[in-house]
Amino acid sequence: MSTSIIRAVCPHDCPDTCALHVTVTDGVATEVRGDPDHPTTAGVLCTKVSRYTERTYHKDRLLYPQKRVGKKGEGKFERISWDEALDAISARLKIVAVKNPLAILPYSYAGTMGLVQGDSMSHRFFHQLGASFLDRTICATAGGTGYKYTVGARIGTDIEQTQNAQLIIIWGGNPIASSLHFWMRAQEAKRKGAKLIAIDPYRSLTAEKCHQHIALLPGTDAVLALGMMHVLIQDDLLDHDYIAQYTLGFDQLKQRAQEWPPERAAQVCGISTEEIIDLARTYGESAKRGEASMIRMNYGVQRVHGGGMAVRNIACLPALVGAWRHAAGGTQLSLSDSFPKNMAALQRPDLFPLGQQQRTINMSTIGDDLMQESSDKFGPRIEALIVYNSNPVAIAPESSVVAQGFAREDLFTVVLEHFQTDTADYADILLPATTQLEHIDAHSAYGHLYMMANNAAIAPQGEAKPNTEIFRLLAQRMGFDDPCFSESDDQIAAQAFKKDDTRAIHFDWNSLKKAGWAKLRVAEAPFAHGGFLTPSGKCEFYSQSMLDDGLDPLPTYIPPYESRLSNPELAKKYPLAMISPPARNFLNSSFVNVQSLRDTEGEPHLDIHPVDAAQRQIASGDRVKIHNDRGSFVALARVTDKARQGLVVGLSIWWKKFASDYKNANEVTSQRLTDMGGGPTFYDVLVQVEKVQTP
Ligand SMILES: Nc1nc2c(c(=O)[nH]1)N[C@H]1C(S)=C(S)[C@@H](COP(=O)(O)OP(=O)(O)OC[C@H]3O[C@@H](n4cnc5c(=O)[nH]c(N)nc54)[C@H](O)[C@@H]3O)O[C@H]1N2
Ligand SMILES: Nc1nc2c(c(=O)[nH]1)N[C@H]1C(S)=C(S)[C@@H](COP(=O)(O)OP(=O)(O)OC[C@H]3O[C@@H](n4cnc5c(=O)[nH]c(N)nc54)[C@H](O)[C@@H]3O)O[C@H]1N2
Ligand code: SF4
Ligand SMILES: [Mo]
């Protein structure tokens, strides 16, 4: 018997990007554990990934290529050989490409965050083909854009400082579920006396464990931040020296904040005036005392119409009180721009045919876009769709339109997957992909500062192949002869980070593979002495770039499309706001098919406040229908004041095929986009809820 420990990386879309130790005995992975020496992983994994072998060796893993034999969406397939599959795909892509390659669309997101399996060979392939580009907006572009206007780049407080903070504001995030290793450090800070405050419409697992919970209405965070600015200025809880040296536009900001006395802000946010005054004073006074006050923002704040502006407003706060002076102060939304990734080498945009027209499709409106006919404005109708690392039929908004698009008989759809997801059901050709234990990859992270290496622990299951290999083989069949199409995964991984960049100068792929991880060389407190990456080099309270892009250059409020205050007519019909944030035991729609994890989540639930439930004669355990003009889905009611009055919460993202009505929360979400960044508005939804009468 031979047993070894392989160094690997969690590939999932989670800020923590854990370092893994995979125990392999006689070629079989028997256990996946957190690397005890990796500082942020600290030997701990979440429940999902500690069950990784259950997912890898799942009886439903796709093990060989298949072609559709039933109707689209029916999920009936027949086994074929790799040659047959690849020949069929390349033949069809050639036919479409001769007419217009822009009619081909790749659709992918963060099923794996790996730079090799996610961002390299596939991009090279579609660039060479001259296909449409995909704007990958589904998660974070609204907030990312708002943050960049203000601070300049997605750079912020290092998670490894968290335990040194005296005040931690967790704003629009539920780290117990979605960033466990940040939460572990926040707990350490709490034990050392730090105060924890959660800002969230829902009493999430995290909000429940904080000292204070401010349950504002969804989509009103921008106003809470404006109300805080008002109080900070009025009470002079400011760091005048920091403002003078390192910020731009304070006088204009001051005027703007005047418009938002806490009384007015409180009305919009649906909270008390005292809560706003108290929050601002707690924040400002903590900074005045010279303490480290940290705001951990998360993406929950930016899935609404004004989501970009909300992040921008919040991102102004640390500069007002000088919180960036401390390594454990400031704010973190994402650290992705800390990494000197070499995207040009990985993706080779230069392969795109010279002089050919380009087109970009926003992944958040895939439903509408699949339904578009050819036109001058839109360009050619989408005729071929290649999906990998994503499950759009479950996760994209306004699902009924998405499903209608995928059901088009004239659309040629290829899906690369581990499992027969809701999306795979619509494939013409379904290809088996390897999991993280079966391929190699290089990783950056968005919640810590380590470059990471994933070694293959086991052989591919069945006939599964890495995404890279699938696109390599397709490139051969398409006749693409650039040498980059013959690079091995190791050769690609070795190009992941820019070696001449001071942050990664110590990067060497072979040694990274042995060590598993290496920290970037970056400053401990990124903006302690200014150095913002905006055009002015300052934290921009006033942003000329925003004005140039047609936005208000100052912090402001952009109300939700759908809320009682902003759309009272609609609210008459659909009076309840609905959000559908991540369930603890799923990762987006990944893991929903892992029995032990699904058992823990039970059936799809809807949390509803006792007053709202009573008005509708709903009791816990009742089957309820959640609906609006876009559609409906069914869930089991949980009557609880965790959901504030006027709000319902359906933890997500369920596979439709595991729901009694074959539907999920995205039936009622809309394809309208955020104020900036072209993001989706998953949490900007009004619905009505009623009990389903059982015969
Ligand atoms: N277990 C688990 N972990 C995950 C994921 C998962 O699906 N499951 N998903 C991963 C991905 S892709 C991402 S992007 C991140 C997600 O990270 P986040 O978007 O930060 O998601 P959550 O941590 O669930 O926190 C969202 C919280 O925001 C709250 N919220 C909703 N609307 C508003 C609002 O308008 N204002 C405020 N202040 N709060 C609001 C919700 O109630 C919820 O508690 O997590 C990653 N980690
Ligand atoms: N209602 C609602 N909808 C949401 C959200 C919400 O909060 N509420 N959150 C949104 C957010 S933040 C996000 S990020 C998106 C996430 O949406 P997606 O990025 O689509 O994430 P998943 O649903 O996890 O699907 C990823 C798929 O990739 C597959 N996969 C993993 N690794 C590989 C690989 O190496 N090769 C191949 N070929 N496939 C692989 C997995 O099996 C899985 O089926 O969903 C969004 N949708
Ligand atoms: S999902 Fe997040 S917490 Fe869980 S193992 Fe992966 S990186 Fe770590
Ligand atoms: Mo996400």
Side-chain angles (χ1 to χ4, degrees), residues 289-324:
R289 283 194 298 271
E291 298 173 359
S293 43
M294 169 192 291
I295 300 177
R296 179 62 167 103
M297 246 193 285
N298 221 321
Y299 289 108
V301 296
Q302 50 97 68
R303 306 197 198 291
V304 291
H305 183 194
M309 193 63 80
V311 166
R312 159 165 174 66
N313 294 5
I314 298 166
C316 290
L317 296 170
L320 279 174
V321 302
W324 285 116

Side-chain angles (χ1 to χ4, degrees), residues 46-52 177-178 583-587 591 597:
C46 62
T47 41
K48 307 175 291 290
V49 173
S50 39
R51 308 271 168 75
Y52 220 61
S178 63
R584 185 182 191 173
N585 292 286
F586 303 152
L587 206 134
F591 297 99
L597 295 169

Side-chain angles (χ1 to χ4, degrees), residues 62 66-77 387 390-394 403 406-407 409 413-417 419-430 655-658 662:
L62 297 173
Q66 300 177 86
K67 70 171 181 200
R68 178 168 66 86
V69 291
K71 281 204 293 238
K72 292 215 174 197
E74 214 174 40
K76 287 200 183 135
F77 293 96
V387 183
S390 184
N391 183 11
V393 173
F406 271 84
E409 275 306 325
T413 304
V414 180
V415 177
L416 285 60
E417 251 301 348
F419 295 105
Q420 194 173 330
T421 58
D422 292 331
T423 304
D425 283 345
Y426 288 88
D428 291 286
I429 306 277
L430 179 52
W655 283 22
K656 297 177 173 191
K657 61 175 86 174
F658 289 123
Y662 290 86

Side-chain angles (χ1 to χ4, degrees), residues 13 139 174 177-178 199-200 219 221 298 300 303 582 584 586 588:
D13 190 351
C139 175
N174 175 18
S178 63
I199 301 176
D200 193 316
D221 302 86
N298 221 321
R303 306 197 198 291
R584 185 182 191 173
F586 303 152
N588 300 322

Side-chain angles (χ1 to χ4, degrees), residues 11 20 58 79 85-86 95 150 169 217-218 249 278 304 316 319 358 449 495 509 536 557 585 589 591 655 679 691:
L20 311 178
H58 198 293
R79 181 174 182 171
L86 296 168
I95 292 171
T150 314
I169 300 178
L217 286 164
D278 183 50
V304 291
C316 290
Q358 304 185 343
L449 295 169
Q495 300 167 61
W509 175 239
S536 65
Y557 176 48
N585 292 286
S589 80
F591 297 99
W655 283 22
K691 192 165 158 171

Side-chain angles (χ1 to χ4, degrees), residues 44-338:
V44 177
L45 298 180
C46 62
T47 41
K48 307 175 291 290
V49 173
S50 39
R51 308 271 168 75
Y52 220 61
T53 53
E54 199 180 329
R55 186 177 189 276
T56 309
Y57 295 115
H58 198 293
K59 64 175 176 34
D60 297 338
R61 267 293 295 279
L62 297 173
L63 297 176
Y64 38 78
Q66 300 177 86
K67 70 171 181 200
R68 178 168 66 86
V69 291
K71 281 204 293 238
K72 292 215 174 197
E74 214 174 40
K76 287 200 183 135
F77 293 96
E78 194 175 273
R79 181 174 182 171
I80 54 175
S81 69
W82 269 109
D83 275 337
E84 204 179 338
L86 296 168
D87 287 346
I89 297 166
S90 53
R92 187 68 177 256
L93 292 184
K94 279 178 189 163
I95 292 171
V96 179
V98 167
K99 271 199 306 181
N100 190 342
L102 294 177
I104 300 170
L105 178 70
Y107 194 96
S108 71
Y109 200 63
T112 167
M113 300 281 288
L115 295 167
V116 177
Q117 302 305 333
D119 283 303
S120 67
M121 204 51 98
S122 49
H123 284 70
R124 295 173 179 183
F125 179 83
F126 292 109
H127 281 144
Q128 175 79 73
L129 193 55
S132 284
F133 302 134
L134 185 76
D135 198 2
R136 299 167 104 213
T137 56
I138 202 79
C139 175
T141 46
T145 306
Y147 193 79
K148 279 194 254 180
Y149 279 134
T150 314
V151 173
R154 290 165 300 175
I155 289 176
T157 313
D158 184 349
I159 177 184
E160 288 181 73
Q161 294 290 339
T162 309
Q163 68 285 354
N164 303 327
Q166 276 93 30
L167 172 68
I168 302 178
I169 300 178
I170 298 175
W171 201 322
N174 175 18
I176 292 186
S178 63
S179 184
L180 184 63
H181 299 81
F182 164 77
W183 177 251
M184 283 159 43
R185 286 174 184 264
Q187 287 289 93
E188 194 183 329
K190 193 179 174 192
R191 283 193 294 274
K192 292 200 290 187
K195 180 168 185 180
L196 268 55
I197 303 176
I199 301 176
D200 193 316
Y202 180 58
R203 201 167 74 239
S204 67
L205 292 169
T206 304
E208 208 147 56
K209 295 213 159 47
C210 288
H211 296 103
Q212 198 183 339
H213 173 210
I214 299 177
L216 78 186
L217 286 164
T220 63
D221 302 86
V223 172
L224 178 55
L226 283 161
M228 284 176 75
M229 291 175 195
H230 184 102
V231 178
L232 291 171
I233 293 167
Q234 192 172 42
D235 292 8
D236 196 23
L237 294 167
L238 303 168
D239 185 331
H240 291 286
D241 182 49
Y242 194 93
I243 292 172
Q245 286 197 65
Y246 306 129
T247 73
L248 184 75
F250 176 67
D251 290 335
Q252 289 112 307
L253 178 80
K254 199 170 162 182
Q255 276 181 11
R256 179 56 60 85
Q258 295 273 280
E259 297 169 22
W260 288 98
E263 296 75 16
R264 179 180 174 211
Q267 282 193 342
V268 175
C269 298
I271 55 178
S272 70
T273 307
E274 291 66 41
E275 279 176 295
I276 299 181
I277 296 174
D278 183 50
L279 177 66
R281 288 190 179 150
T282 303
Y283 186 60
E285 283 165 7
S286 169
K288 270 259 171 278
R289 283 194 298 271
E291 298 173 359
S293 43
M294 169 192 291
I295 300 177
R296 179 62 167 103
M297 246 193 285
N298 221 321
Y299 289 108
V301 296
Q302 50 97 68
R303 306 197 198 291
V304 291
H305 183 194
M309 193 63 80
V311 166
R312 159 165 174 66
N313 294 5
I314 298 166
C316 290
L317 296 170
L320 279 174
V321 302
W324 285 116
R325 290 186 190 275
H326 295 269
T331 184
Q332 190 203 111
L333 173 68
S334 161
L335 301 176
S336 1
D337 292 331
S338 310

